[in-house]
Amino acid sequence: MKNLLTTSIISLALSASIAFSSVASDNPADQINSQADYNKEITDIVFYYTPDALAFYSGDLEKLHSFIKHEVINNNSAFDGGSIPIARRIAAIMPATDLPNSDWANLELTDLNLLVTILDAFPVSLSETADTILPYKASHYVVVTAKRNTTVNGESIGYANIGGRYSVIVATPQANYLLAHELGHNDGLMHSVGDTDRKLTDYAVGTTCGGEGTVMWYSGGAIFSNPEIERNGEACGEAGVADVAASYKESMGTLFANRSWPFLYNQTIRERTGTATLSLPSSNVTEGEDLTVEIQWNNAPENASIELYTQAVDSGASLDDYTQTMVRVHYTGEAITTVTIATTDDEAYELDELVNVGIRYGSGVSTQADVESITISSDDAGQPGAFDFSAKTLTIAEGSSKEITINRTGGSDGELSIRVYTESGTATSGDFTSIDETIIFLNGETSKTISIETVNDSANEGNETFTLNIEADASLLGNDTTLTVTIDDSADVPAVVTPPTENKSSGGSSSIFMLLATLLTLLIRTNTQQK
């Protein structure tokens, strides 16, 4: 059967409209070890990233992984929004250069037939040796690449086989719903009622509502078409016309369960019957030495594997300090697999720095003790100095701003970062502009200034205070790391109301006389009653 190819094109002006932020930080389906443990049908995805996709994220594997992970999360969010009992799960993320006979430097995004040829030739049988193949089949294979070509009116951002298992998505600055869109094509969904290609159902198409598209519409969106959902008072679908949610749900017990078109290639997920545990022989290493990581296998089935990765820590080691890693590690029959990760020996003085090492996305095994921290110690001597504010207190007129200097004394060796942040006192966040930022001192730098701004209001609050604080390694803190800021509210003293000048006309004098007479009469009556 020849699978049709569909192209997703979005105008450059609309590209930002589908760049939705992810709705969660983790994908629950990634933690599922058995289909029997979950109330949704799980479909596994193997991702291949091209060199230019990694280059799009400046060579940062973490950013690439974050994009992929949140594309999956967003796809599952769209499923949840329509009560569709399917969940996507990451099976593996691998460099596309691992595929045989692939020339990714010359492969055009439009040449999906070549991609299909490459992937079809890639052995994924459980009977193959673990060091040359991914040891299980997945329901979907997705290539992540950078933009390759443009059209006159738009930019190609994705391709997919209709009713197939292959698709291509373009790397973007933040996750959107492009994966949900392209895998929707794999599942037999189309853009609109005008599409005449074979579909999951006649109404397995996208639409618009509330001025925005749904997932399968040309411009993309965050929900699948569903007449039970409204956006800005408009139904996001029509029964029997545009209803992807119903199309999926009606197919679960028939086409999906029987692996019939368009779900011909859906695979049952591999059960995680064993465990893989991360272990560090040492949690400290000197720069220039290799980090040693051990994977301990227990009851691991043949061809089990996990992904080993490194992860940056806030204010920790930079990517220049170690070899960033995201690689599959395969079980070869030995109880322990040892992997080394190189660190960089440089000449710059640095404090001890942290980097995380973890394992995830197990095939045949669940992951235990899946994240550990390693300290990289510098072998270079130096005097980093200590950080202080140039004053202990500062007074600022309400609505004004002033600068304060941060001094680095006692040494200036090495590039160091500190956190500077405000905390409320009697003054709350509405009285000043909050600060929470990382300030980097380059090697040799001894001072920096930071501006503190207060907010003017009409309330008479009196003087109020808040603090500005320095946070850093304890060895870098001086004596004056807390600055007390007073907001001077004296300009808001209430105005003195001066009564109007007394009218000295005869009418005014007569009024005063009558008032005194009335008071005298009341006094006489009171005395009479008391007698």
Side-chain angles (χ1 to χ4, degrees):
M1 177 186 298
K2 178 176 174 57
N3 288 319
L4 297 174
L5 171 66
T6 185
T7 305
S8 297
I9 297 180
I10 186 169
S11 69
L12 293 173
L14 292 176
S15 60
S17 69
I18 64 167
F20 297 95
S21 298
S22 64
V23 295
S25 59
D26 288 301
N27 181 24
D30 289 336
Q31 309 305 318
I32 301 303
N33 298 321
S34 170
Q35 179 63 73
D37 297 336
Y38 209 47
N39 59 356
K40 300 177 183 179
E41 292 290 338
I42 299 175
T43 58
D44 274 342
I45 311 169
V46 175
F47 290 91
Y48 301 101
Y49 61 90
T50 64
D52 56 358
L54 184 57
F56 179 83
Y57 296 107
S58 302
D60 191 331
L61 288 165
E62 279 190 73
K63 292 180 180 178
L64 171 68
H65 170 261
S66 180
F67 167 74
I68 292 173
K69 181 181 76 169
H70 287 102
E71 280 285 343
V72 174
I73 290 172
N74 287 350
N75 193 161
N76 287 340
S77 172
F79 280 145
D80 291 343
S83 300
I84 300 167
I86 301 175
R88 310 289 193 200
R89 189 178 75 166
I90 297 174
I93 303 173
M94 304 175 66
T97 49
D98 283 0
L99 295 172
N101 305 318
S102 59
D103 184 0
W104 294 101
N106 298 317
L107 177 63
E108 285 294 325
L109 183 62
T110 52
D111 200 354
L112 189 64
N113 288 332
L114 177 57
L115 170 64
V116 171
T117 301
I118 292 172
L119 292 176
D120 274 339
F122 186 52
V124 288
S125 168
L126 289 174
S127 63
E128 299 290 339
T129 56
D131 59 345
T132 59
I133 57 95
L134 184 67
Y136 54 92
K137 293 183 178 180
S139 297
H140 300 278
Y141 295 88
V142 178
V143 170
V144 182
T145 187
K147 180 177 69 67
R148 294 301 185 95
N149 65 317
T150 58
T151 63
V152 174
N153 296 316
E155 177 180 336
S156 301
I157 59 171
Y159 293 82
N161 296 100
I162 303 172
R165 55 181 169 176
Y166 306 119
S167 62
V168 178
I169 62 174
V170 168
T172 56
Q174 61 179 342
N176 46 67
Y177 289 79
L178 182 56
L179 180 71
H181 182 101
E182 299 306 334
L183 296 191
H185 286 315
N186 283 169
D187 291 344
L189 312 181
M190 295 304 294
H191 295 134
S192 69
V193 293
D195 288 317
T196 58
D197 294 317
R198 185 181 181 185
K199 297 184 283 290
L200 175 60
T201 67
D202 289 340
Y203 40 91
V205 297
T207 188
T208 61
C209 58
E212 299 180 32
T214 56
V215 169
M216 296 310 300
W217 190 251
Y218 302 98
S219 59
I223 57 175
F224 287 110
S225 59
N226 185 345
E228 297 179 2
I229 297 176
E230 288 189 356
R231 187 160 51 193
N232 297 330
E234 184 180 0
C236 292
E238 181 180 350
V241 178
D243 194 347
V244 164
S247 298
Y248 267 124
K249 287 183 278 190
E250 292 167 5
S251 303
M252 296 306 297
T254 54
L255 300 177
F256 193 99
N258 298 327
R259 300 300 190 258
S260 300
W261 193 96
F263 305 109
L264 285 170
Y265 301 104
N266 276 19
Q267 304 290 323
T268 302
I269 66 169
R270 190 181 188 191
E271 303 289 310
R272 293 170 175 168
T273 56
T275 61
T277 303
L278 176 68
S279 176
L280 302 178
S282 174
S283 59
N284 190 291
V285 65
T286 301
E287 64 177 15
E289 297 178 347
D290 288 341
L291 306 176
T292 300
V293 180
E294 292 181 350
I295 310 299
Q296 299 176 354
W297 308 93
N298 184 34
N299 294 325
E302 184 180 3
N303 294 332
S305 66
I306 52 90
E307 179 180 285
L308 174 69
Y309 68 97
T310 54
Q311 182 182 59
V313 179
D314 288 343
S315 301
S318 70
L319 297 183
D320 295 331
D321 295 316
Y322 61 94
T323 300
Q324 195 181 36
T325 300
M326 189 168 74
V327 63
R328 297 299 295 186
V329 178
H330 297 272
Y331 173 61
T332 59
E334 301 293 330
I336 297 177
T337 300
T338 301
V339 182
T340 58
I341 300 172
T343 66
T344 304
D345 187 8
D346 55 35
E347 301 301 321
Y349 172 78
E350 299 168 304
L351 297 177
D352 290 351
E353 298 173 306
L354 290 177
V355 60
N356 284 343
V357 178
I359 55 176
R360 61 193 173 200
Y361 307 141
S363 169
V365 289
S366 60
T367 55
Q368 308 291 323
D370 50 1
V371 179
E372 297 285 350
S373 294
I374 294 178
T375 300
I376 303 176
S377 299
S378 175
D379 59 0
D380 302 299
Q383 295 294 328
F387 295 94
D388 290 286
F389 288 117
S390 57
K392 293 184 178 181
T393 62
L394 184 67
T395 300
I396 306 176
E398 184 179 82
S400 301
S401 64
K402 283 187 178 180
E403 289 187 340
I404 188 70
T405 300
I406 303 171
N407 292 321
R408 180 184 187 182
T409 58
S412 60
D413 292 332
E415 179 180 312
L416 299 173
S417 63
I418 62 173
R419 178 190 175 210
V420 179
Y421 64 97
T422 49
E423 280 190 321
S424 297
T426 54
T428 62
S429 58
D431 297 312
F432 58 90
T433 301
S434 297
I435 297 171
D436 192 344
E437 60 184 78
T438 298
I439 297 178
I440 297 175
F441 280 74
L442 300 177
N443 182 49
E445 277 194 302
T446 58
S447 67
K448 284 184 178 289
T449 58
I450 187 169
S451 179
I452 306 172
E453 298 181 356
T454 63
V455 178
N456 192 21
D457 57 39
S458 59
N460 179 26
E461 301 166 306
N463 291 353
E464 297 175 303
T465 62
F466 65 95
T467 60
L468 183 66
N469 308 279
I470 296 174
E471 181 180 272
D473 186 89
S475 64
L476 300 177
L477 296 178
N479 295 322
D480 299 322
T481 57
T482 296
L483 173 72
T484 300
V485 181
T486 299
I487 301 176
D488 185 356
D489 195 37
S490 59
D492 289 332
V493 175
V496 177
V497 179
T498 304
T501 304
E502 180 182 344
N503 187 344
K504 296 184 179 180
S505 67
S506 59
S509 299
S510 175
S511 297
I512 294 174
F513 176 78
M514 291 178 65
L515 176 61
L516 292 174
T518 301
L519 291 174
L520 180 60
T521 301
L522 290 173
L523 180 61
I524 293 172
R525 288 178 180 176
T526 301
N527 290 335
T528 302
Q529 290 173 356
Q530 289 177 347
K531 293 178 180 180

